[in-house]
Amino acid sequence: MSRFIIEGGGKMEGEITVQGSKNAVLPILAATVLSDGKNVIYNCPKISDVDMTVEVLKNLGCRVDTEKDCIEVDASHLSGHTIPDELMRQMRSSIIFLGAIIARCGRAEISMPGGCEIGIRPIDLHLSALKKLGVSITESHGFIHCVREKVQPASIHLDFPSVGATENIMLTACMTEGVTTIENAAREPEIVDLERFLNRMGAKIKGAGSDLITIEGVHKLYGAAHTIIADRIVSATYLACAVVSGGTVALKGAESAHMGAMLSVLKNMGAEIYEDKQKIVVVSPKKLKSIGTIKTMPYPGFPTDIQSPFMALSTQCEGSSVFVENIFENRFRHIEELVRMGADIKADGRVAVVIGKSRLTGAKVTAPDLRGGAALIVAALAADGTTEIENIKYIDRGYEAVEEILSPCGVKIKRKE
Ligand code: UD1
């Protein structure tokens, strides 16, 4: 099992080029099955979630060629409409293929997505929206069977602005004759990126980025080329690494317009942030101020995905910080590991209180999930001595070769197989 060995205490200094967004590339790769032409996607991050998505595409009969950060997908000979259990189990977000496969094939079968490391993650909103679009859904033998009985547009109101449900509706409705609307749609920048790609393929979608998305169905979509946006969560993780180490770091390619809530927290801690077109520079303060209360919210609120790395950072703030996790019920599993390193954190249900500043010491810890793993890297940079992080397969799901990114900035980090 791979692990990271990190020596804490050094200042991080330098420039990092930010990878493409995980949460943008996954639905966009799923969208490539909508056309029978060739799609070229640039700026794809080299992470294991992308490798698994490519496996799903190949399993459906797509031809996929990868060169550096570019993935070419040719779905002209799509031969399947099923996502088998082993692929679904490896990556729960394969659920995003559902809408695309139904639109292209008129039917889809996926293994039931079970719970995952950060909570139960139901898909009721996805399924009820698809039913409104004329899809009949049955469940048996651990599979969800979807058949398009009628091709009908719908007016859909989401009870919660689910990212995945919004994307699945867009993927099905863009090839459904008539006008479909999504009220209370998720507003994440990744949804805007999906709209841009689908429109390049010939779809007629308006409103992504707002809470009302209007989709006028078309008969056919064509192959298109697209460049994935920068990963705002990875950007904020590296800013947290820089600030916890007391260093100065420039992030090339970062999109500050997508990072308002996270940058404002860093500024409140006392960090100086300089935003330029496609570049963010952070200069750490001598002392970090406590950040009051952070509540995770749908975009443009504070993202749940950065809650754990920022909690690790807050252990180095003077005074208490409170985190309220409103999106996922089981996203505090990093706390136990941070406490092993010397953090003073108490959690009850969805609320965690961090008392700083703690002296962290290097320890053997285990990444509990993707972002919880990133939090342990942040903590390791502030800790005295050596931290060994096990289970880094989770970190590799969303972060490109962390050791190759951080080492040139002076961080003593090694991967051990
Ligand atoms: C996406 C992101 C994930 C991020 C999350 C919230 C991808 C691949 N993943 O996940 O990194 O943390 O958005 O920003 O883009 N819910 C239901 N019923 C549903 C769907 C969702 O109750 O049918 C609930 C979930 O349990 C959760 C909340 O809604 O509590 C948010 O989920 P959602 O926005 O759908 O997240 P994902 O698309 O799974």
Side-chain angles (χ1 to χ4, degrees), residues 102 130-131 133-137 146-150 172:
I102 292 171
L130 289 171
K131 280 182 192 160
L133 289 164
V135 179
S136 97
I137 298 171
C146 302
V147 179
R148 190 126 212 215
E149 301 283 3
K150 285 185 245 158
T172 302

Side-chain angles (χ1 to χ4, degrees), residues 163-353:
V163 174
T166 302
E167 291 167 343
N168 253 333
I169 299 166
M170 288 165 76
L171 290 166
T172 302
C174 68
M175 288 182 77
T176 300
E177 204 179 329
V179 177
T180 293
T181 51
I182 315 174
E183 273 179 44
N184 199 26
R187 294 187 279 165
E188 270 68 1
E190 294 76 22
I191 308 259
V192 178
D193 212 28
L194 178 63
E195 177 190 80
R196 242 181 252 143
F197 176 60
L198 288 171
N199 285 346
R200 285 206 171 117
M201 294 174 88
K204 292 187 177 164
I205 308 178
K206 282 192 309 210
S210 78
D211 59 5
L212 176 63
I213 300 181
T214 307
I215 305 150
E216 195 185 326
V218 296
H219 284 294
K220 192 169 164 57
L221 293 180
Y222 303 89
H226 184 77
T227 301
I228 299 292
I229 55 170
D231 196 309
R232 60 197 168 98
I233 305 299
V234 168
S235 301
T237 304
Y238 289 138
L239 290 179
C241 287
V243 171
V244 88
S245 79
T248 298
V249 166
L251 293 184
K252 226 171 100 187
E255 189 54 82
S256 58
H258 298 163
M259 298 176 60
M262 303 180 273
L263 294 181
S264 127
V265 169
L266 291 172
K267 285 176 191 164
N268 289 342
M269 284 182 180
E272 286 169 48
I273 308 265
Y274 301 95
E275 301 161 40
D276 186 354
K277 223 181 165 202
Q278 297 276 298
K279 196 175 204 175
I280 298 177
V281 179
V282 66
V283 180
S284 304
K286 291 224 162 17
K287 269 189 178 177
L288 288 171
K289 289 185 271 192
S290 88
I291 42 181
T293 300
I294 287 186
K295 295 180 182 171
T296 64
M297 308 279 253
Y299 188 85
F302 188 87
T304 173
D305 282 359
I306 205 69
Q307 174 259 107
S308 43
F310 273 41
M311 190 184 291
L313 175 57
S314 73
T315 65
Q316 300 309 296
C317 295
E318 303 285 344
S320 58
S321 308
V322 179
F323 288 81
V324 183
E325 175 53 62
N326 288 315
I327 309 293
F328 290 109
E329 76 279 8
N330 194 13
R331 220 169 196 176
F332 279 161
R333 300 194 333 158
H334 49 282
I335 292 179
E336 207 181 311
E337 305 299 307
L338 292 175
V339 168
R340 276 175 71 80
M341 296 177 72
D344 182 355
I345 308 175
K346 303 267 183 305
D348 188 7
R350 288 174 179 265
V351 180
V353 179

